[in-house]
Each structure stands twice: as structure tokens, then as C-alpha cells.
Amino acid sequence: MKKWLYSTNHKNISIMYLVMGMWSGMMGMSMSMIIRIELMNNMNNFSFTLTYYMMITIHALLMIFFMTMPIIIGVFSNWLIPLMMSTQDLIYPRLNNLSMWILFPSLMLMTLSMFMKNKIFTGWTLYPPLSIQNSSSINLIIFSLHLNGLSSIMSSMNFTISMMNMNSNKMFLDNLTLYCWSIIVTSMLIILSIPVLASGITMIILDHNFNSMFFNPIGNGNPVIFQHLFWFFGHPEVYILILPGFGLMSQIMNQETGKMEIFSKMNMIYAMMAIGVLGFIVWAHHMFTIGLDIDTQLYFMSATMIIAVPTSIKIFSWILTMNGSKNNLSPMMMWSMGFILMFSMGGMTGIMLSNSIIDINLHDTYYVIAHFHYVLSMGVVFSILSSMIFWFPMLTNNMMKNNMLKINFINLFLSINMTFYPQHFLGLNGMPRRYIMYSDNLMFWNNISSMGATSTIFFVLMFISMIMETMMSKQKIMFKIKLFNQEWMVNSPNLSHTMNESILISNK
């Protein structure tokens, strides 16, 4: 127990993040499956309606705060940053341990809220006046988010201070890898945006329990103020999820193409910084329907479209990195190309939604659902799966079977597209999100989407079974290949602390 409970070893901590993230991901995915099964049947049972709304809310919160962030930041940052910087561990190992263990009571509170008599039905945005109704589950959700935010802030401080103070080479810009840079920008976003969410949900708790009137119009409160607070956090949160994915995919493409460096590394760093800064000044594009005046709409529309510039710089840099390489279509390259394709698709629908006139028509329809699932389910999750395959030999001294990985990728790619592509048509035909009943003419696309969700679950389980099979096989490889990335230069790293710099240098 001491090895895990009190561990200050960054590798042990990253494995605990992975276990918790995978558990939360399976739970969130099972909820999405229940949602899709319900939407296959238009003869709905009204007693299930509140449970349906609760599942939509908890599905989003689990996937964002308990699956994606712990895996893409907690797992890969903890494992890779000390290796990439040739340091023994992060600068505050005990803080690292604390920030991981805080997530467990946070997840417990989130799960307990599902068993309350008065279930949450607000959606993940927690908008008042829905969130100031008499519901005890709201309190549990908000306390859960407070703990989760505290964990994220402590981790972010740890990563940033480690990279700034434990960096042996003073050539700061040239020395850090793109993944390290992506975590620096992500950490800044977390430290600046999560306190804003904390203030907003604290006011909801006060409205709910102590009769304050921050968001209650009866007492001269304004519910729109919460939307501003929430989306000032909520939009940077999207970049908190995707920026580490950008860093991971850059490392993978750099490695798989056999090139010494990603195309135009400095531009990639500045593009990530620009995305981080611009992410803070576009929040009201989520609020075009509240009655913003035309000048405000024009500003938020223009600022949102400008984010496409640094994002497209990154996409073209990846394409140019892959250009001219001896592409042997390894599983990692297939995931990388799938990532670029799907993220670009989600980005293009985002450009359409940034137009306020179009957004007013498509706001809160399934078109929006399709847009952000292309960015998150296919952008972030593709980068997570790709990174797990890529660094699997380093984590476990085992190699997964290439042919099985390729079959799994093709099937997952088709299944996820089958799930979310029809939702564009549902949205354009006017199907609102979070509704449990809909017009009969939308039945066909809902059924196609639900069939895609079913096959997605099957192939995700296939991926997990491939990991289990590889882990249980007795044939261990001692990974001695010397590749360009520094984290591969240690032969078969075990679960002891990272080797120090002198051993790394001698190993080169």
C-alpha cells in the first residue's frame, strides 16, 4: 500500500492517473451508450426523463474533468516531463501526490450525486435558474468541481515551476520539447480560468443554500452574469483539453516521420501561445442568443475566426512534417492522420458556428454536438489513444501487435464517424440538444448515430482487451532502440525514479 498510497514517484502517480481516467472514461462512455439507446426509441417513458438529463450532465462532466484531463495532462505530463528534461522527478513530488489523491473524493462526490432523489438536470453548463432549484445533487456536483479545480491548479503549478526551475539548459526556447511547451501554455490557462469557474459555482451554492440573489432576477440578480463567468472558463477549457494533444501529436509525428525536428518548431510554439491568449477573449460566442448588440456580436465573431490562423499554422506544419517522409503507415501514423482529418473537420464546423447569424439558427442543436465531439471525441481522444500506443513500449516493455492496431484504428475511425457525422444533419434539420423526444422524420439519422455508438463501444473494448493481452503475455522486450526523442534514450525504464542526467548522457 505504501508504494502507491504515499508514492512521490512521478511514474507511479501517472499510472494511478491512468487507472482513474480509464475507469471514468468507461463510466462516461456507458452513459453515452444509454443516451443513444434511449434516442433509438421515440416512444419514451417520461419517468426516465430526469434520469436522461442527469446522464447527459454527468457524461459531460466525467469525460471532461475525470477522463480527458487526468489522462492527457496527469498521465503523460507526469511520465514524460521529467524524462524530457533529464530530471529525477517534478520539483514538488508530494504536491504531485496530493493533487492526484484529491481527484478520488472529487469523483466520489460526482458519482454520489447520481443517487440523490432530486437529480441534476442542468446540463454541464449549470445555468441558473435550473441550477438554483432545490436539488441536493447540485451541491455535490459543485463541491466535486471545486476539488477537481484545486487538483488541476496544483498540478499546473508543479509542472510549470518544474520546467522553469529544473531546466538544465538555459537556452529555454530551444531546449524544451513541443509537449513541454504545450503543458506550459495549458497550465497558464488552468491557473487563470479555473478560479473564475470556482467563483461562479460558489455564487450558485450561495443562491441555492443561503438565499443570496446573485443570479435570481427576483432579487435584482442576473442569470446572464453566470453565463459570462462560466464561458470565460469554458472556452479556455476547450484549449486546456486539446493543447496537450497538439504537443503529443507533434512528438509522435516528429518521431514517426524520422525527421530531426517538427517543421517550423518556433512557429508551433508561438501558435500555441496565440491560441492560449485568444482563447480568453472569445467566450461570448457561446452566448449569441442572449441578445448581444450587433457590435459585440461582430467583435466576438471576428476574434473567434482569428483563432483559425494559429490553429491552421499547426495543421500545415504537421502536414509539411509528414511530407516527403517514408510513410510506412504504422498504427501511430494512421492515428496521426486521422487526428488531423477529424480535428480539421471539427474546426471547420466551428468556423461556421462562429458566424453569429448562423449560430443563432444552429444554437443548442445537434450541429453543435457534432462540432465539439469532432474536436474532443476525435481530436483529444485520438491523441490519447495514439500516445498510449506510441509510448506503450516505454511504459511496459511490451509491444502491441501492429496488425491488430491497424484493424482497430480503421474500425474505430469508421464507427466514431458513423456516430457523429449524422448529427450534423440532425442539427441542420432543427433537432435540439438534450431533448428526449423528437419528430419522426429525424428517426433515421438518430438510428444511424446509435448504431455507430454501439460499434464504437465494441471497438474501444477491443482496444482495452489488446492492452490486457499484451500486458499478460510473458514475452517482454527490452527496449534498446535509440531514437531522436530524449525520453527513449533510457533503456527499458522501470518504475524507479527517472535516471539522472549523468546516466542519460552516458547512455547516449
Side-chain angles (χ1 to χ4, degrees):
M1 280 298 289
K2 276 190 175 181
K3 175 183 174 182
W4 298 101
L5 194 60
Y6 302 135
S7 178
T8 53
N9 180 352
H10 67 103
K11 293 180 179 176
N12 286 344
I13 290 170
S14 82
I15 285 177
M16 288 189 280
Y17 270 118
L18 181 62
V19 170
M20 199 204 73
M22 287 179 72
W23 190 89
S24 305
M26 293 303 293
M27 187 168 149
M29 199 166 65
S30 63
M31 287 183 184
S32 68
M33 192 65 240
I34 293 168
I35 292 165
R36 288 307 332 163
I37 289 170
E38 179 61 28
L39 289 170
M40 282 183 85
N41 167 30
N42 207 16
M43 304 292 289
N44 290 294
N45 176 6
F46 283 101
S47 64
F48 183 70
T49 304
L50 279 183
T51 306
Y52 173 84
Y53 294 146
M54 177 273 290
M55 287 209 167
I56 285 177
T57 305
I58 304 292
H59 162 73
L61 293 170
L62 276 175
M63 291 308 227
I64 291 169
F65 293 105
F66 295 97
M67 191 275 279
T68 306
M69 287 177 74
I71 292 181
I72 207 164
I73 301 174
V75 175
F76 295 112
S77 298
N78 267 303
W79 196 289
L80 296 175
I81 285 174
L83 288 171
M84 288 177 170
M85 296 199 315
S86 310
T87 57
Q88 189 172 357
D89 206 306
L90 295 174
I91 197 164
Y92 301 128
R94 291 186 190 280
L95 186 68
N96 199 16
N97 176 270
L98 177 63
S99 62
M100 196 279 304
W101 281 110
I102 283 178
L103 282 179
F104 281 90
S106 174
L107 180 58
M108 200 179 301
L109 288 170
M110 182 73 67
T111 313
L112 280 173
S113 72
M114 298 161 58
F115 297 98
M116 291 291 155
K117 184 179 177 183
N118 298 320
K119 293 182 172 59
I120 189 167
F121 51 86
T122 62
W124 84 285
T125 51
L126 305 174
Y127 279 177
L130 292 174
S131 56
I132 52 177
Q133 303 296 320
N134 185 21
S135 168
S136 48
S137 60
I138 294 278
N139 294 337
L140 291 172
I141 294 280
I142 288 175
F143 285 131
S144 169
L145 292 177
H146 272 306
L147 287 175
N148 191 288
L150 184 64
S151 167
S152 300
I153 289 170
M154 289 194 298
S155 291
S156 301
M157 289 164 59
N158 204 352
F159 295 138
T160 309
I161 296 167
S162 296
M163 283 184 274
M164 294 178 79
N165 290 308
M166 300 177 79
N167 190 6
S168 55
N169 188 340
K170 299 305 177 191
M171 296 293 289
F172 194 64
L173 284 171
D174 296 331
N175 186 37
L176 288 182
T177 62
L178 279 172
Y179 181 65
C180 290
W181 271 110
S182 73
I183 294 300
I184 286 177
V185 177
T186 303
S187 298
M188 290 294 116
L189 294 184
I190 287 173
I191 291 165
L192 292 171
S193 69
I194 282 186
V196 180
L197 172 72
S199 65
I201 59 181
T202 302
M203 285 188 255
I204 283 181
I205 280 225
L206 294 173
D207 277 9
H208 184 206
N209 296 292
F210 298 103
N211 290 328
S212 61
M213 296 286 177
F214 291 110
F215 306 129
N216 193 337
I218 295 171
N220 208 22
N222 186 353
V224 173
I225 296 294
F226 177 79
Q227 294 192 29
H228 283 287
L229 288 171
F230 180 85
W231 287 116
F232 191 80
F233 151 80
H235 195 77
E237 173 65 19
V238 178
Y239 297 114
I240 288 166
L241 299 175
I242 196 66
L243 277 169
F246 288 166
L248 290 167
M249 297 312 293
S250 299
Q251 299 293 127
I252 292 169
M253 288 180 210
N254 180 20
Q255 190 65 61
E256 287 299 301
T257 54
K259 297 185 177 177
M260 289 299 292
E261 199 172 77
I262 200 97
F263 180 85
S264 188
K265 179 183 173 182
M266 198 60 72
N267 280 354
M268 295 285 268
I269 293 167
Y270 285 125
M272 282 192 285
M273 290 179 175
I275 288 168
V277 171
L278 291 169
F280 274 107
I281 57 171
V282 296
W283 74 92
H285 67 216
H286 297 269
M287 301 164 54
F288 282 141
T289 53
I290 66 164
L292 296 174
D293 64 83
I294 196 69
D295 293 332
T296 310
Q297 286 185 39
L298 182 62
Y299 161 71
F300 281 105
M301 187 170 78
S302 308
T304 306
M305 289 181 177
I306 288 168
I307 294 190
V309 175
T311 311
S312 58
I313 287 171
K314 295 190 72 62
I315 288 168
F316 287 124
S317 288
W318 289 325
I319 293 171
L320 285 165
T321 303
M322 291 193 289
N323 179 43
S325 64
K326 293 178 181 176
N327 194 345
N328 57 358
L329 270 190
S330 66
M332 281 78 76
M333 280 306 292
M334 292 173 78
W335 281 104
S336 300
M337 290 189 284
F339 168 83
I340 292 174
L341 191 63
M342 296 296 94
F343 181 76
S344 301
M345 175 78 183
M348 284 186 277
T349 53
I351 290 290
M352 289 184 65
L353 288 167
S354 70
N355 185 314
S356 60
I357 307 302
I358 295 174
D359 182 77
I360 285 166
N361 287 284
L362 293 177
H363 185 81
D364 268 350
T365 67
Y366 261 75
Y367 192 89
V368 180
I369 301 283
H371 155 66
F372 70 70
H373 277 90
Y374 262 83
V375 175
L376 296 180
S377 289
M378 301 187 191
V380 180
V381 176
F382 271 35
S383 62
I384 287 173
L385 294 177
S386 182
S387 305
M388 284 182 70
I389 296 165
F390 181 68
W391 276 291
F392 195 78
M394 193 186 73
L395 268 63
T396 65
N397 291 328
N398 271 314
M399 285 285 262
M400 294 167 78
K401 295 174 182 172
N402 265 9
N403 289 338
M404 289 299 289
L405 287 171
K406 289 179 182 179
I407 292 166
N408 185 251
F409 166 76
I410 292 165
N411 285 303
L412 254 179
F413 183 83
L414 295 173
S415 300
I416 300 178
N417 273 288
M418 188 177 172
T419 307
F420 295 113
Y421 197 76
Q423 293 181 8
H424 292 100
F425 308 138
L426 289 171
L428 290 167
N429 280 299
M431 179 172 172
R433 63 195 281 195
R434 302 196 184 110
Y435 274 37
I436 196 167
M437 295 193 75
Y438 52 86
S439 172
D440 286 347
N441 67 315
L442 302 171
M443 178 74 82
F444 174 72
W445 291 120
N446 266 304
N447 285 345
I448 296 289
S449 185
S450 295
M451 286 159 57
T454 310
S455 59
T456 301
I457 291 246
F458 176 78
F459 291 114
V460 168
L461 290 173
M462 176 181 162
F463 183 79
I464 292 169
S465 69
M466 286 160 57
I467 293 176
M468 292 170 65
E469 181 198 1
T470 311
M471 292 290 287
M472 288 188 287
S473 68
K474 294 178 181 177
Q475 185 180 11
K476 295 273 183 183
I477 60 153
M478 298 305 286
F479 209 75
K480 294 183 183 299
I481 189 166
K482 298 289 191 297
L483 299 174
F484 303 122
N485 288 344
Q486 191 169 328
E487 63 271 17
W488 288 102
M489 293 179 181
V490 182
N491 294 339
S492 296
N494 54 21
L495 286 178
S496 62
H497 278 278
T498 305
M499 296 184 187
N500 64 30
E501 191 175 359
S502 60
I503 297 176
L504 268 176
I505 291 168
S506 65
N507 210 13
K508 292 178 186 179

